[in-house]
Amino acid sequence: MWKSKLRLLALVLIIMTMGLVGCGSKKDDESVAGAETTSTENDEIAAELEELDGELEELAEEEDQIKEVEKLLDEDGELKEDLTKEEKDLVKEVLGVKSVEEVKGKDVKKAVTAVKKEVKKAKETVKQTKKEVQKRAGTPTSTAKKSESTSKGTSNTNKDSNKGNSTNKENSSNKENSTNKGKGTNNTNSGSNKGDSGSSNTNSGSSNTGNSNSGNSTSKPTPAPTPKPEPKVEWKTETTKTESIAFGTDKKNDSNLEKGKEKVEREGRNGSKVTKCEVKYVDGKKTSETKNCTTSTTAATNKVVLVGTKEPAPVVNVGAMEQEIFRLINAERAKVGSPPLKWSGTIGSNARNHANYLTDNGITRGMHVGPYSGKYGEVAYTGGTGAGWVVATWMNSPGHKPFLLSPEFTHIGVGVSKTGEHAIAQFGE
């Protein structure tokens, strides 16, 4: 827009130059037309000044738009993310692009600076043009100068041809010229008083000069002020404030978790408090005025932590407990005349692995008798507090005792879990 204005200003300068250059001396009968031309020139000057004032206002608005675009740049001189539609339209207008995507990721600051310099240069040109027009409005009009030149030329001619006229005739002629001062008829009087002396013609020329200046002063119109357009007011709903609500921590006792240990059952999540208002925009510019504000709250989700209450299992000498169970079972067999069982490392390893599996997976078997098929049998117990207590419990159980005393078995393996809470005796040949 401002580039087309520069071309208009160049045309105005050319017209001014043509107006300032005089057209030379003209005949006396053109003086009336010259006065009408002066009035027209004054009207044109007033129109030019009004147009130039409008140009300055538009350039000032463009400078304001450039400042708004500069606020949309980040530290690297690139456009910020998440621009509003109005902000994108402003960028396109200032940089003269069809889409913001054309300049995305580029050094927009350099382009904005170049536009800023050109607008500044245009503004200086308009100001200079305005000064020239104001200067032209304050000087005597070309019509007055032509009138004065014509009057002086007539005076010289009359002086050479009427040297013999008397002093009385000069006074009479001067009186007539004085009477016609300011009425635009001095040139006619000069022509009719051919017998006047040089001093008479000089007075006539002075009278003409005064008449032209007086006419120029009264014809200058005062430019009417340019009415300002009504501002465009818009209200847009926007998020004006966001507050974070921190989550808390809830703790719960867990009997399956050993004392001194904690376990996160659920992670926490912060809540939020969001305020939205209608924000006032004037001519596309955001103001601090708001109305109709609303607040919405999203509650925080507390973190849940499990706290162990289970007493830790006592430290058990697994190997010693397994051998003690083996010894006590053979002692019970001796009481009924059954031959002693022999220890089997293979059977014992299998029994221990099974006991640890039950512990690791939290399986409670209680009193258990395994399947009896051929020459294989198994007894198990959960919750024992020692080898003697386990064997005594098996001997008091009608389902377990036959396995311990059967003469059909020749080998045994005993497995105790690492915590001592599971004991398994397996029998075979």
Side-chain angles (χ1 to χ4, degrees):
M1 179 172 59
W2 52 265
K3 292 182 180 179
S4 62
K5 304 296 183 181
L6 284 177
R7 291 193 291 269
L8 177 60
L9 289 174
L11 180 59
V12 170
L13 285 173
I14 294 172
I15 294 173
M16 286 170 51
T17 305
M18 293 174 64
L20 288 172
V21 176
C23 297
S25 299
K26 293 188 178 180
K27 297 179 180 180
D28 292 339
D29 56 3
E30 296 178 352
S31 60
V32 176
E36 293 176 355
T37 303
T38 301
S39 177
T40 302
E41 284 183 355
N42 290 332
D43 291 340
E44 292 176 351
I45 289 172
E48 289 175 17
L49 290 173
E50 183 177 349
E51 177 69 20
L52 292 171
D53 287 336
E55 296 293 340
L56 290 174
E57 287 184 6
E58 291 186 11
L59 290 171
E61 290 178 2
E62 291 185 22
E63 287 180 329
D64 291 339
Q65 290 178 334
I66 292 172
K67 291 178 182 178
E68 291 299 318
V69 172
E70 289 177 330
K71 295 178 182 178
L72 304 179
L73 305 181
D74 57 22
E75 295 178 355
D76 298 326
E78 299 180 6
L79 288 174
K80 297 178 180 177
E81 298 292 335
D82 301 328
L83 297 183
T84 64
K85 182 180 181 301
E86 290 76 10
E87 291 171 338
K88 290 181 179 179
D89 291 341
L90 180 61
V91 171
K92 291 190 291 184
E93 182 178 353
V94 171
L95 297 183
V97 295
K98 295 182 178 179
S99 171
V100 175
E101 298 299 324
E102 296 181 26
V103 295
K104 193 171 184 181
K106 299 181 181 179
D107 189 355
V108 181
K109 184 176 182 181
K110 185 180 294 184
V112 173
T113 301
V115 174
K116 190 174 182 181
K117 289 181 178 179
E118 292 181 357
V119 172
K120 182 179 179 182
K121 183 178 179 180
K123 194 172 182 181
E124 291 174 353
T125 302
V126 174
K127 287 182 178 180
Q128 182 61 33
T129 303
K130 184 176 179 181
K131 288 181 181 179
E132 295 293 338
V133 175
Q134 290 173 332
K135 182 178 179 182
R136 179 155 59 94
T139 58
T141 62
S142 59
T143 304
K145 291 181 179 180
K146 288 185 288 182
S147 176
E148 182 179 358
S149 174
T150 304
S151 177
K152 288 183 178 180
T154 304
S155 297
N156 292 331
T157 304
N158 290 335
K159 182 178 179 181
D160 291 336
S161 60
N162 298 299
K163 293 181 181 180
N165 291 338
S166 65
T167 304
N168 291 333
K169 289 183 180 181
E170 292 174 7
N171 293 335
S172 175
S173 177
N174 286 333
K175 182 177 180 181
E176 185 177 358
N177 284 335
S178 177
T179 302
N180 291 322
K181 181 178 181 182
K183 296 182 180 179
T185 59
N186 288 328
N187 289 330
T188 303
N189 291 334
S190 297
S192 63
N193 294 317
K194 296 180 180 180
D196 292 350
S197 64
S199 61
S200 173
N201 287 312
T202 302
N203 289 336
S204 178
S206 174
S207 175
N208 285 329
T209 303
N211 182 37
S212 293
N213 286 334
S214 175
N216 186 44
S217 175
T218 57
S219 298
K220 216 170 44 155
T222 302
T226 304
K228 292 186 177 180
E230 289 294 326
K232 181 182 179 183
V233 178
E234 296 177 283
W235 291 91
K236 301 179 183 179
T237 301
E238 298 180 356
T239 298
T240 57
K241 187 177 182 181
T242 301
E243 301 176 72
S244 178
I245 303 174
F247 66 83
T249 300
D250 297 331
K251 292 190 176 184
K252 293 168 53 177
N253 291 335
D254 187 352
S255 59
N256 294 321
L257 194 63
E258 290 186 5
K259 278 187 177 180
K261 292 183 179 181
E262 293 186 350
K263 181 180 179 181
V264 177
E265 183 181 54
R266 182 183 68 197
E267 292 292 346
R269 184 175 64 252
N270 288 336
S272 62
K273 183 178 180 182
V274 179
T275 301
K276 291 186 176 182
C277 301
E278 291 184 37
V279 182
K280 184 177 181 181
Y281 280 76
V282 178
D283 291 335
K285 296 180 181 179
K286 187 176 181 179
T287 69
S288 59
E289 186 175 348
T290 59
K291 68 177 182 179
N292 300 332
C293 295
T294 59
T295 301
S296 60
T297 302
T298 302
T301 302
N302 285 351
K303 182 179 181 180
V304 178
V305 178
L306 301 178
V307 180
T309 60
K310 180 180 179 181
E311 294 291 340
V315 179
V316 177
N317 187 334
V318 175
M321 186 173 175
E322 291 170 346
Q323 291 299 316
E324 180 64 11
I325 292 174
F326 169 61
R327 187 188 70 78
L328 291 174
I329 290 175
N330 274 335
E332 293 294 333
R333 289 172 69 87
K335 293 178 182 179
V336 296
S338 294
L341 298 171
K342 294 180 180 179
W343 180 264
S344 172
T346 301
I347 297 176
S349 177
N350 183 64
R352 182 183 290 180
N353 289 338
H354 187 42
N356 283 328
Y357 172 80
L358 297 178
T359 298
D360 292 340
N361 291 277
I363 300 174
T364 302
R365 300 294 293 271
M367 291 287 288
H368 170 72
V369 177
Y372 181 75
S373 175
K375 303 297 182 178
Y376 171 79
E378 177 185 276
V379 292
Y381 187 75
T382 300
T385 58
W389 190 89
V390 171
V391 174
T393 302
W394 284 339
M395 288 299 292
N396 290 327
S397 170
H400 290 72
K401 185 176 180 180
F403 282 90
L404 273 66
L405 302 180
S406 174
E408 295 182 14
F409 298 128
T410 59
H411 289 78
I412 186 175
V414 180
V416 176
S417 66
K418 51 193 172 184
T419 60
E421 59 182 329
H422 288 91
I424 297 177
Q426 294 180 347
F427 305 89
E429 290 185 317

